[in-house]
Amino acid sequence: MVEYQSPHLDAVFHALSDPTRRAMLHRLSGGERSVSQLAQPFDMSLAGASKHVKVLETAGLVSRRVDGRTHYCRLEALRLAEAQAWFRYYERFWTERLDTLQAILEAEDRQRSDGKD
């Protein structure tokens, strides 16, 4: 069952609302990366990248491990799966609505073509 009043879902959508964080998640889909590796393609400080990682971590999208002074991040897919389930519910809703609209339009087209004969 999809939870509609989930603070986790709110945190996930908040985290995904930023293009930098989405890009970081994309990079993590290829495997574990250090925070400095995640910051590399962006014009930002390590502290700025850490703030983005913290938002992703709080949302449950990323886990972090520390090795000495280096922080490594790994993608965690569970919260993404929950968001996907939420979208799937609404996708079914809109698919049904669009199927109904298509049937109505096709019926109107048939009526018009029947009336022209």
Side-chain angles (χ1 to χ4, degrees):
M1 172 148 183
V2 177
E3 285 195 41
Y4 305 103
Q5 300 294 326
S6 168
H8 297 295
L9 200 54
D10 293 345
V12 167
F13 287 134
H14 169 72
L16 295 175
S17 71
D18 184 87
T20 300
R21 291 191 289 266
R22 289 192 306 268
M24 287 178 164
L25 285 177
H26 181 72
R27 294 197 71 209
L28 289 171
S29 69
E32 187 177 75
R33 301 274 192 273
S34 69
V35 173
S36 61
Q37 288 172 319
L38 290 175
Q40 204 169 27
F42 307 104
D43 186 22
M44 73 173 61
S45 66
L46 193 55
S50 289
K51 287 180 182 179
H52 281 293
V53 168
K54 184 65 176 169
V55 171
L56 293 169
E57 196 174 22
T58 299
L61 297 172
V62 166
S63 62
R64 187 190 313 222
R65 73 174 178 86
V66 180
D67 184 10
R69 296 183 66 190
T70 306
H71 291 231
Y72 292 95
C73 300
R74 183 174 0 133
L75 180 65
E76 298 293 339
L78 178 63
R79 295 287 183 231
L80 284 175
E82 290 172 1
Q84 183 181 19
W86 187 86
F87 278 118
R88 268 195 309 259
Y89 171 82
Y90 288 98
E91 179 183 34
R92 284 192 309 268
F93 169 79
W94 282 110
T95 299
E96 289 171 9
R97 296 294 190 267
L98 290 172
D99 289 346
T100 301
L101 177 61
Q102 181 178 2
I104 290 168
L105 294 173
E106 287 172 353
E108 287 178 357
D109 285 346
R110 280 192 302 276
Q111 285 178 340
R112 282 190 201 121
S113 62
D114 288 347
K116 290 183 179 179
D117 288 327

Coordinates of all heavy atoms in Angstrom, one line a residue, residues 37-79:
Q37 N 34.3 13.6 -5.1 CA 34.0 13.2 -6.4 C 32.6 13.6 -6.9 O 32.4 14.0 -8.0 CB 34.0 11.6 -6.5 CG 35.4 11.1 -6.4 CD 35.4 9.6 -6.3 OE1 34.6 8.9 -5.6 NE2 36.4 8.9 -7.1
L38 N 31.6 13.7 -5.9 CA 30.3 14.1 -6.3 C 30.3 15.6 -6.5 O 29.6 16.1 -7.4 CB 29.3 13.8 -5.1 CG 29.0 12.4 -4.9 CD1 28.1 12.2 -3.7 CD2 28.3 11.8 -6.2
A39 N 31.2 16.4 -5.8 CA 31.3 17.8 -6.0 C 32.0 18.2 -7.3 O 31.8 19.3 -7.8 CB 32.0 18.4 -4.8
Q40 N 32.8 17.3 -7.8 CA 33.7 17.7 -8.9 C 33.1 18.3 -10.1 O 33.6 19.3 -10.6 CB 34.5 16.4 -9.3 CG 35.8 16.6 -10.0 CD 36.5 15.3 -10.1 OE1 35.9 14.2 -10.2 NE2 37.8 15.3 -10.2
P41 N 32.0 17.8 -10.6 CA 31.4 18.4 -11.8 C 30.8 19.8 -11.6 O 30.4 20.5 -12.6 CB 30.4 17.4 -12.4 CG 30.3 16.4 -11.4 CD 31.3 16.6 -10.3
F42 N 30.6 20.2 -10.4 CA 29.9 21.4 -10.0 C 30.8 22.5 -9.5 O 31.8 22.2 -8.9 CB 28.8 21.1 -9.0 CG 27.9 20.0 -9.3 CD1 28.0 18.7 -8.8 CD2 26.9 20.2 -10.3 CE1 27.2 17.7 -9.1 CE2 26.1 19.1 -10.7 CZ 26.2 17.9 -10.1
D43 N 30.4 23.7 -9.7 CA 31.2 24.8 -9.2 C 30.8 25.1 -7.8 O 30.0 26.0 -7.5 CB 31.0 26.0 -10.1 CG 31.9 27.2 -9.7 OD1 33.0 26.9 -9.1 OD2 31.6 28.3 -10.0
M44 N 31.2 24.2 -6.9 CA 30.8 24.4 -5.5 C 31.9 23.9 -4.5 O 32.8 23.1 -4.9 CB 29.5 23.6 -5.2 CG 29.6 22.1 -5.1 SD 28.1 21.3 -4.6 CE 27.0 21.7 -5.8
S45 N 31.9 24.3 -3.3 CA 32.8 23.9 -2.3 C 32.5 22.5 -1.8 O 31.4 22.0 -2.1 CB 32.8 24.9 -1.2 OG 31.6 24.8 -0.5
L46 N 33.4 21.9 -1.1 CA 33.2 20.6 -0.5 C 32.1 20.7 0.5 O 31.2 19.9 0.7 CB 34.5 20.1 0.1 CG 34.5 18.6 0.5 CD1 34.1 17.7 -0.6 CD2 35.8 18.3 1.1
A47 N 32.0 21.9 1.2 CA 31.0 22.1 2.2 C 29.6 22.2 1.6 O 28.6 21.7 2.1 CB 31.2 23.4 3.0
G48 N 29.5 22.8 0.4 CA 28.3 22.9 -0.4 C 27.8 21.5 -0.8 O 26.6 21.2 -0.7
A49 N 28.8 20.7 -1.3 CA 28.4 19.4 -1.7 C 27.9 18.6 -0.5 O 27.0 17.8 -0.6 CB 29.6 18.7 -2.4
S50 N 28.6 18.7 0.6 CA 28.2 18.0 1.8 C 26.8 18.4 2.2 O 26.0 17.5 2.7 CB 29.1 18.3 3.0 OG 30.4 17.7 2.7
K51 N 26.4 19.6 2.0 CA 25.0 20.0 2.4 C 24.0 19.3 1.5 O 23.0 18.8 1.9 CB 24.8 21.5 2.3 CG 25.5 22.3 3.4 CD 25.3 23.8 3.2 CE 26.0 24.5 4.3 NZ 25.9 26.0 4.2
H52 N 24.3 19.2 0.2 CA 23.5 18.4 -0.7 C 23.4 17.0 -0.3 O 22.3 16.4 -0.3 CB 24.0 18.6 -2.2 CG 23.6 19.9 -2.8 ND1 22.3 20.2 -3.1 CD2 24.4 20.9 -3.2 CE1 22.3 21.4 -3.7 NE2 23.6 21.8 -3.8
V53 N 24.5 16.4 0.0 CA 24.6 15.0 0.4 C 23.8 14.8 1.7 O 23.0 13.8 1.8 CB 26.0 14.5 0.6 CG1 26.1 13.2 1.3 CG2 26.7 14.4 -0.7
K54 N 23.8 15.7 2.6 CA 23.0 15.6 3.8 C 21.5 15.6 3.6 O 20.8 14.8 4.2 CB 23.4 16.8 4.8 CG 22.7 16.7 6.1 CD 23.2 15.5 6.9 CE 22.6 15.5 8.3 NZ 22.8 14.3 9.0
V55 N 21.1 16.4 2.6 CA 19.7 16.4 2.2 C 19.3 15.0 1.7 O 18.3 14.4 2.0 CB 19.3 17.5 1.2 CG1 17.9 17.3 0.7 CG2 19.5 18.9 1.9
L56 N 20.2 14.5 0.8 CA 19.9 13.1 0.2 C 20.0 12.1 1.3 O 19.1 11.1 1.3 CB 21.0 12.8 -0.9 CG 20.9 13.7 -2.1 CD1 22.2 13.5 -3.0 CD2 19.7 13.4 -2.9
E57 N 20.9 12.2 2.2 CA 21.0 11.3 3.3 C 19.7 11.3 4.2 O 19.2 10.3 4.6 CB 22.2 11.6 4.1 CG 22.7 10.5 5.0 CD 24.1 10.9 5.7 OE1 24.4 12.1 5.7 OE2 24.8 10.0 6.1
T58 N 19.3 12.5 4.5 CA 18.1 12.7 5.4 C 16.9 12.1 4.7 O 16.0 11.5 5.4 CB 17.9 14.2 5.7 OG1 19.0 14.7 6.4 CG2 16.6 14.4 6.5
A59 N 16.8 12.2 3.4 CA 15.7 11.6 2.6 C 15.8 10.1 2.5 O 14.9 9.4 2.1 CB 15.6 12.2 1.3
G60 N 16.9 9.5 2.9 CA 17.1 8.1 2.8 C 17.5 7.6 1.4 O 17.5 6.4 1.1
L61 N 18.0 8.5 0.6 CA 18.4 8.2 -0.8 C 19.8 7.8 -0.9 O 20.3 7.2 -1.8 CB 18.1 9.4 -1.7 CG 16.6 9.8 -1.8 CD1 16.5 11.1 -2.6 CD2 15.8 8.6 -2.5
V62 N 20.6 8.2 0.2 CA 22.0 8.0 0.2 C 22.4 7.5 1.6 O 21.9 8.0 2.6 CB 22.8 9.3 -0.2 CG1 24.2 9.3 0.1 CG2 22.6 9.7 -1.6
S63 N 23.4 6.6 1.6 CA 24.0 6.3 2.9 C 25.5 6.7 2.8 O 26.0 6.8 1.7 CB 23.9 4.8 3.2 OG 24.6 4.0 2.2
R64 N 26.1 7.0 3.9 CA 27.4 7.5 3.9 C 28.3 6.6 4.9 O 27.8 6.2 5.9 CB 27.4 8.9 4.5 CG 28.7 9.7 4.4 CD 28.7 11.0 5.1 NE 27.6 11.9 4.9 CZ 27.7 13.2 4.7 NH1 28.9 13.7 4.7 NH2 26.6 13.9 4.5
R65 N 29.5 6.4 4.4 CA 30.5 5.7 5.3 C 31.7 6.6 5.3 O 32.0 7.3 4.3 CB 30.7 4.3 4.9 CG 31.6 4.2 3.7 CD 31.9 2.7 3.4 NE 32.7 2.6 2.1 CZ 34.0 2.8 2.0 NH1 34.7 3.0 3.1 NH2 34.6 2.7 0.8
V66 N 32.4 6.6 6.4 CA 33.6 7.4 6.6 C 34.8 6.5 6.7 O 34.9 5.5 7.4 CB 33.5 8.3 7.8 CG1 34.7 9.2 8.0 CG2 32.2 9.1 7.8
D67 N 35.8 6.8 5.9 CA 37.1 6.1 5.9 C 38.2 7.2 6.1 O 38.5 7.9 5.1 CB 37.3 5.3 4.6 CG 38.6 4.5 4.6 OD1 39.2 4.4 5.7 OD2 38.9 4.0 3.5
G68 N 38.7 7.3 7.3 CA 39.6 8.4 7.6 C 38.9 9.7 7.5 O 37.9 10.0 8.2
R69 N 39.4 10.6 6.6 CA 38.7 11.9 6.4 C 37.8 11.9 5.2 O 37.2 12.9 4.9 CB 39.8 13.0 6.3 CG 40.7 13.1 7.6 CD 41.7 14.2 7.4 NE 41.0 15.5 7.3 CZ 41.5 16.6 7.0 NH1 42.8 16.7 6.8 NH2 40.9 17.8 6.9
T70 N 37.8 10.8 4.5 CA 37.0 10.7 3.3 C 35.6 10.2 3.6 O 35.5 9.1 4.2 CB 37.7 9.9 2.2 OG1 39.0 10.4 2.0 CG2 37.0 9.9 0.9
H71 N 34.6 10.9 3.1 CA 33.2 10.4 3.2 C 32.8 9.8 1.9 O 32.9 10.5 0.9 CB 32.3 11.5 3.6 CG 32.5 12.1 5.0 ND1 31.5 12.2 5.9 CD2 33.7 12.5 5.6 CE1 32.0 12.7 7.0 NE2 33.3 12.8 6.9
Y72 N 32.3 8.6 1.9 CA 31.8 7.9 0.7 C 30.3 7.7 0.8 O 29.8 7.5 1.8 CB 32.5 6.5 0.6 CG 33.9 6.5 0.3 CD1 34.9 6.5 1.3 CD2 34.4 6.7 -1.0 CE1 36.2 6.5 1.1 CE2 35.8 6.7 -1.2 CZ 36.7 6.7 -0.2 OH 38.0 6.7 -0.5
C73 N 29.7 7.9 -0.4 CA 28.2 7.9 -0.5 C 27.8 6.7 -1.4 O 28.5 6.4 -2.4 CB 27.7 9.2 -1.0 SG 28.1 10.6 0.0
R74 N 26.7 6.1 -1.0 CA 26.1 5.0 -1.8 C 24.7 5.3 -2.0 O 24.0 5.7 -1.1 CB 26.4 3.7 -1.1 CG 25.9 2.5 -1.9 CD 26.2 1.2 -1.3 NE 27.0 1.3 0.0 CZ 26.7 0.7 1.1 NH1 25.7 -0.1 1.2 NH2 27.4 0.9 2.2
L75 N 24.1 5.0 -3.2 CA 22.7 5.1 -3.5 C 21.9 4.1 -2.7 O 22.3 2.9 -2.7 CB 22.5 5.0 -5.0 CG 21.1 5.1 -5.5 CD1 20.5 6.5 -5.3 CD2 21.0 4.7 -7.0
E76 N 20.8 4.5 -2.1 CA 19.9 3.6 -1.4 C 18.6 3.7 -2.2 O 18.0 4.8 -2.2 CB 19.7 4.0 0.0 CG 21.0 4.0 0.9 CD 21.5 2.5 1.0 OE1 20.7 1.6 0.9 OE2 22.7 2.4 1.3
A77 N 18.1 2.6 -2.7 CA 17.0 2.6 -3.7 C 15.6 2.5 -3.0 O 14.6 2.8 -3.6 CB 17.1 1.5 -4.7
L78 N 15.6 2.1 -1.7 CA 14.3 1.9 -1.1 C 13.3 3.1 -1.1 O 12.2 3.0 -1.5 CB 14.5 1.4 0.4 CG 13.2 1.2 1.2 CD1 12.4 0.0 0.5 CD2 13.5 0.9 2.6
R79 N 13.8 4.3 -0.8 CA 13.0 5.5 -0.8 C 12.6 5.8 -2.2 O 11.5 6.3 -2.4 CB 13.7 6.6 -0.1 CG 13.9 6.4 1.3 CD 12.7 6.5 2.2 NE 13.0 6.3 3.6 CZ 12.4 5.5 4.4 NH1 11.4 4.7 3.9 NH2 12.7 5.4 5.6

